[in-house]
Amino acid sequence: MNRRSVLTLGAALGLSGVVAAPGAAWSWSRSDSVAGSLAGALGSGSSVDPQWVWDDEIDRILASVIQNGQVPAVNQAMASWGNNWQPVPSGLPPELATWLQGAVALPAWADRTKLRRAADFNRRKDTYLFVIYGIGGGIMSTVIPREARSVYWSKGGADMQDRAAKTFSFGYDLSDLNAFENTGEFLVTSNKTRMVHAAVRHLLPQSPHWQASGHDEQIPISNHDILVTFHSTGTFAHKKLKEWGVPMSTADQDAFLHSWQVALHMLGVRDEYIPASWAAAHAQADQILTPKLHWTPEGQELAEVLLGLTAQVDLGVTRGFLNEFVRYQLGNEIGDWLGLKRDYVSAATIRVGWPSYILFREGLIPIAPVNFYLFDQFLRALAMAFLNRGTSGTTTPITIPDVNRPTS
C-alpha cells in the first residue's frame, strides 16, 4: 500500500491530521495521555514504544495455568462469575485469584459520574454504535494485519460466529447502563478478556502457521495492538457519529471517551498510552491505525465469514445491502480489497436513507422515512446473527483457550 493509499484511507475513515508513514517510530506525546493529564506535562514522548509492552504479570500466570493443564478447571470456576458484585470465584489457582482481586478494581482516576453519563449516552446512541462497532469496526479488524492473523490462527478463528459473539459481549457489557456499577458485568468481562489475551500471547507463538503468516511481531496483542483495536472501534465511532451529524454535547463526548479510557486500563494498557482527549486519540490513530490497514489472506477469509453470518437470518437483508453498508462506512478502497460485490441500488438507498433514519430517530424530522423499516430489520438481523448464535440478546460466555486454531 503506497502513501497515496494511506491518505485515501485516512479520508475514507474520517481520520484527521497528517498520516504517519508506515513503519514510523513511536512519537505520540505522553503529555497527551491519561498519565500525562494527571501528572502534568511529561515530555515529548513515552520512553517505550507500546508495541514492546505486553501484560507481564498476568502473561506469566496464564502461561503457568496452561502449562499445568489448569485451563478446564479455571473455566469451570469462572463459569458462574459474571456480575461486578460477585467476588472472585473460589477454585482458582492462588496466584491467579490474588491477581484478580486487584485487577477487578477501577483505577483511582475513574470518574463514576462520567461513567454513568457514558452509560446513558450509550443507551441513547446504541443503534448507531451497534452499526459502527459491528459493521465498521468489525470489518475494519479484518484489514488490520496483526489482528486478522492473530484472530485467524488462534482458537477463536476456527469459529468466527462464537468469536464475534464474545466480542459483541464485550461491547454490550461496556455499553450497558450499569456497566461499571455493582449490578453490571463489565469489570468481570474485561478481566476475562484480559486473561484470554494473556493465553493467546502464550499460545500463538507456538503456532507454526502464525509464525509463517508474514506477521511482524514475536508476541501478539501488545499494548500497541490493543490501542489499534480501540481506534478501530471507539475512535472510529466518535468520528462517524460526528460525520453523521448525530447530536452530542461536549459532556457526552467526554464521558464516552472516559468509558473507553477505563476500558483500556482494565485491559492492561498502561495509562501513559491512553489518550486524554479525543484530539489526542485521533492523533494517535493517525500514527498507529491508518498506516497499518492492508489486505491479508487471513483477513479476507474472516471478513467473508463475518459478512456471511447474516445470511443465516432471513429478515430481508441482502448481502448486497450489507456489502454497501461496509463501503458506506469504510470506503471503496477497503471494499475493493475484500472483493465486496457492488449493489448500486442498495448504495443509493443507504446514502439517502441512513441520514434520514438518523434525523427521524433524533426527532429532527417529524415523519419516518420510507425505508425506516428496512434499517430496523437490518439492525435486528445483525443482532440475531452475532449475539450468541441468536440464542441470547445480551451475552456469550468468555472462556480461556488452551490450544491454537485446529488445522486438521
Side-chain angles (χ1 to χ4, degrees), residues 40-244:
L42 297 175
S44 60
S46 174
S47 58
V48 180
D49 189 320
Q51 69 177 326
W52 303 112
V53 175
W54 292 274
D55 204 352
D56 296 342
E57 186 175 6
I58 190 59
D59 287 355
R60 178 181 55 78
I61 293 171
L62 258 294
S64 175
V65 166
I66 293 169
Q67 290 166 348
N68 293 331
Q70 296 172 307
V71 170
V74 168
N75 282 332
Q76 182 176 2
M78 294 197 306
S80 60
W81 186 44
N83 291 95
N84 296 339
W85 60 264
Q86 292 178 286
V88 172
S90 60
L92 296 174
E95 194 174 23
L96 177 58
T98 299
W99 181 85
L100 281 171
Q101 293 286 356
V104 295
L106 286 171
W109 47 262
D111 184 328
R112 285 194 175 275
T113 299
K114 284 187 176 182
L115 292 176
R116 292 186 181 106
R117 186 175 189 119
D120 182 63
F121 174 80
N122 286 326
R123 176 189 60 81
R124 288 182 280 119
K125 310 302 180 184
D126 60 355
T127 298
Y128 321 127
L129 292 173
F130 187 81
V131 170
I132 293 169
Y133 292 158
I135 298 301
I139 300 304
M140 195 193 303
S141 72
T142 70
V143 292
I144 300 172
R146 286 183 177 180
E147 185 167 350
R149 289 171 173 136
S150 293
V151 169
Y152 186 88
W153 292 113
S154 63
K155 183 180 179 181
D159 187 346
M160 278 305 293
Q161 184 160 9
D162 180 70
R163 203 270 183 181
K166 290 173 179 174
T167 302
F168 268 64
S169 289
F170 180 92
Y172 183 93
D173 291 346
L174 174 60
S175 301
D176 185 68
L177 196 59
N178 299 309
F180 297 95
E181 307 294 336
N182 282 342
T183 52
E185 298 184 7
F186 183 73
L187 300 183
V188 173
T189 297
S190 59
N191 273 283
K192 287 185 177 181
T193 303
R194 189 173 177 181
M195 287 187 282
V196 169
H197 288 170
V200 171
R201 280 190 286 266
H202 175 71
L203 292 166
L204 209 50
Q206 302 173 37
S207 166
H209 305 284
W210 181 74
Q211 290 284 5
S213 66
H215 63 85
D216 60 348
E217 55 186 352
Q218 294 180 335
I219 303 173
I221 319 181
S222 64
N223 269 205
H224 173 283
D225 296 334
I226 297 172
L227 287 166
V228 168
T229 299
F230 155 62
H231 292 308
S232 72
T233 50
T235 306
F236 180 65
H238 178 253
K239 196 68 181 184
K240 281 298 171 183
L241 290 172
K242 291 177 72 69
E243 180 183 302
W244 291 344

